[in-house]
Amino acid sequence: QKEVEQNSGPLSVPEGAIASLNCTYSDRGSQSFFWYRQYSGKSPELIMFIYSNGDKEDGRFTAQLNKASQYVSLLIRDSQPSDSATYLCAVNIGKLIFGQGTELSVKP
Amino acid sequence: DADVTQTPRNRITKTGKRIMLECSQTKGHDRMYWYRQDPGLGLRLIYYSFDVKDINKGEISDGYSVSRQAQAKFSLSLESAIPNQTALYFCATSDWDNSYEQYFGPGTRLTVT
């Protein structure tokens, strides 16, 4: 089992819809969790981090963490074509371990 | 100017050649990292360094070596390149007190023929 797993997609949603991106991890000792966005041909950039169980909101983005289920998700409300990118989940186990990324496509 | 720079940006080399990828940063961060990215595999950590005298192996260090010449410079070497080292390589930096917010360079696309 990979330490951090994501559905590779592609995930396609219509403009204005909610995009839901999911990530599971295997190390119960993980303390912090990160979502990076990577546009095609570009480098990853941090968009959200979460440390505590529950939800964390930042604009149109909401990160959700459930440590008991070892599950972290990213919701993007009112999705825009400019949100089309690959989203990488990363987990801190003393160093960052990344999932394989989920490609999101938002159709106008 | 970019905070994290990588040279070269693209490189094609032959099997068996030695190649060095260089990373420089002006963010003043202590911690630097080298990753490779392959389609469908995400980012995998090759080596990382928490300061000039500290070098650590990551998930996939075999076939690679690194040098931390200064706080601002971290180089990755492939001593004898092989085709399965064809990938996109990223350097990243982070500050000591916010280690997991990492700032990435633009990447080096390496092709080994």
Side-chain angles (χ1 to χ4, degrees), chain A residues 1 7-8 11 13-14 25 29-30 40 44 49 57 60-61 63 67 73-74 76 78 80 83 85 89 91 103 105:
Chain A
Q1 181 188 5
N7 291 326
S8 58
L11 173 65
V13 301
Y25 60 94
S30 303
S40 181
F49 62 88
E57 188 174 317
R60 294 186 297 110
F61 298 94
K67 290 186 177 180
S73 64
L74 179 70
I76 306 175
D78 189 23
Q80 301 296 309
D83 295 324
C89 171
V91 174
E103 182 183 349
S105 177

Side-chain angles (χ1 to χ4, degrees), chain A residues 4-8 22-24 35 87-89 98-102:
Chain A
V4 181
E5 296 210 45
Q6 299 178 249
N7 291 326
S8 58
N22 304 315
C23 175
T24 58
W35 283 100
Y87 289 81
L88 299 164
C89 171
F98 285 84
Q100 68 269 43
T102 298

Side-chain angles (χ1 to χ4, degrees), chain B residues 42-57:
Chain B
L43 287 162
R44 292 184 291 167
L45 183 63
I46 306 172
Y47 271 96
Y48 59 105
S49 169
F50 284 176
D51 64 40
V52 174
K53 297 182 180 178
D54 176 79
I55 301 289
N56 303 282
K57 292 183 177 181

Side-chain angles (χ1 to χ4, degrees), chain B residues 31-67:
Chain B
R31 303 185 174 196
M32 299 186 73
Y33 311 80
W34 275 106
Y35 293 91
R36 66 176 279 176
Q37 187 172 38
D38 301 275
L41 294 178
L43 287 162
R44 292 184 291 167
L45 183 63
I46 306 172
Y47 271 96
Y48 59 105
S49 169
F50 284 176
D51 64 40
V52 174
K53 297 182 180 178
D54 176 79
I55 301 289
N56 303 282
K57 292 183 177 181
E59 303 169 75
I60 52 163
S61 58
D62 287 349
Y64 301 95
S65 62
V66 291
S67 173

Side-chain angles (χ1 to χ4, degrees), chain A residues 4 6 23 32-36 46 48 50 72 88-93 95-99, chain B residues 100:
Chain A
V4 181
Q6 299 178 249
C23 175
S32 48
F33 307 85
F34 301 81
W35 283 100
Y36 282 78
L46 182 69
M48 290 285 289
I50 186 166
V72 58
L88 299 164
C89 171
V91 174
N92 168 14
I93 57 167
K95 53 185 181 289
L96 275 188
I97 301 297
F98 285 84
Chain B
Y100 303 103

